[in-house]
Amino acid sequence: MAKFKFDIKCIFSQPVVQISSNLLPHTFIGDRRMAMDVTSKVSQIIDRLGELSAVAQKLSKPITSAQKLRMSENQTVYLMADINGCDGDVVIGLLKIGTKNLYLFDSSGQTRKIDKARCILDFYIHESRQRMGVGKILFDIMLTEEHWTPVKCSVDRPSEKLIQFLKKYYGLEKIIPQANKFVLYEGFFDEDEDDDVNRG
Ligand code: ACO
């Protein structure tokens, strides 16, 4: 797990916090001086977890960094910590999601332009905590907060572990082939009452 020299409790008033382009936890309350301090600590956490995720996925460089998040209006990083656990206060996971305008093939091979397609961009649970159900907890919190359903998510270059994860918990198996790096599943284009995928 990722330990830091500073006290992470000022960021994690709860186990999972959402960070957007201002690099502050959604729970943050404080003055300007406190905001600067917290932003600097959040940046260090995101950079470290982004690097660990890249290593785990054998990528040449991280997909997630504080600098990239600062420049991205449509992205949110969910960070998960274990506070007062057997290892002390540690950060154990990261999930980056966002929306993108994408050209995608539907099941019949027709090209569709989807505005604000929901995307899973980066997902990492520390090696010491994998396969214990932690990823499922974090993913489910994200789904609840964003009001997303798994089948309506496009997944950016999923690893084999994530493919297995999505199959196991959400029954996602049948892929709609794409020309780009995103993976979509059968049902992505189906319309239902609270669906806005097809409306953009
Ligand atoms: N091999 C195969 N399947 C795995 C593995 C593995 N080593 N690890 C997790 N899974 C899948 C399986 O379905 C597993 O169920 P099982 O143990 O019954 O086979 C299930 O995930 C376990 O669920 P959780 O414990 O809730 O998941 P976890 O906490 O391990 O988080 C995650 C899943 C995020 C994929 C984690 O394994 C991880 O960080 N892996 C390394 C980085 C990575 O591959 N991230 C996804 C990159 S792609 C992207 O982000 C768009």
Side-chain angles (χ1 to χ4, degrees), residues 56-57 120-125 129-136 155-159 161-162 164-165 168-169:
Q57 296 177 59
I120 308 301
L121 300 170
D122 198 5
F123 189 17
Y124 172 72
I125 300 296
R129 306 293 178 102
Q130 285 178 19
R131 283 189 135 159
M132 295 177 179
V134 174
K136 169 80 160 68
V155 191
D156 191 353
R157 271 186 243 255
S159 64
K161 289 182 184 182
L162 184 52
Q164 292 305 322
F165 175 94
K168 172 177 171 153
Y169 292 120

Side-chain angles (χ1 to χ4, degrees), residues 9 15 18-19 22-23 59 76 82 137 157 173 175:
K9 285 199 185 79
Q18 299 163 43
I19 316 280
N22 65 4
L23 299 181
L59 304 174
T76 303
D82 184 7
I137 293 171
R157 271 186 243 255
E173 207 168 354
I175 287 172

Side-chain angles (χ1 to χ4, degrees), residues 4 6 9-10 25 59-60 63 65 80 83 111 121 123 130 145 149 151 160-161 167 169 179-180 187 195 197:
F4 294 86
F6 49 82
K9 285 199 185 79
C10 62
L59 304 174
S60 56
I63 300 166
S65 69
M80 187 178 210
I83 301 289
T111 305
L121 300 170
F123 189 17
Q130 285 178 19
E145 291 294 322
T149 47
V151 74
E160 187 53 35
K161 289 182 184 182
K167 181 177 165 188
Y169 292 120
N180 58 24
D195 176 28
V197 157

Side-chain angles (χ1 to χ4, degrees), residues 61-103:
K61 56 182 185 340
I63 300 166
T64 303
S65 69
Q67 198 189 356
K68 284 184 185 172
L69 185 60
R70 197 187 274 286
M71 310 291 282
S72 308
E73 281 302 324
N74 301 326
Q75 295 185 359
T76 303
V77 168
Y78 285 74
L79 288 175
M80 187 178 210
D82 184 7
I83 301 289
N84 297 328
C86 52
D87 303 302
D89 297 341
V90 290
V91 183
I92 57 174
L94 167 148
L95 172 58
K96 182 167 79 168
I97 57 107
T99 55
K100 289 181 185 253
N101 298 339
L102 298 175
Y103 286 94

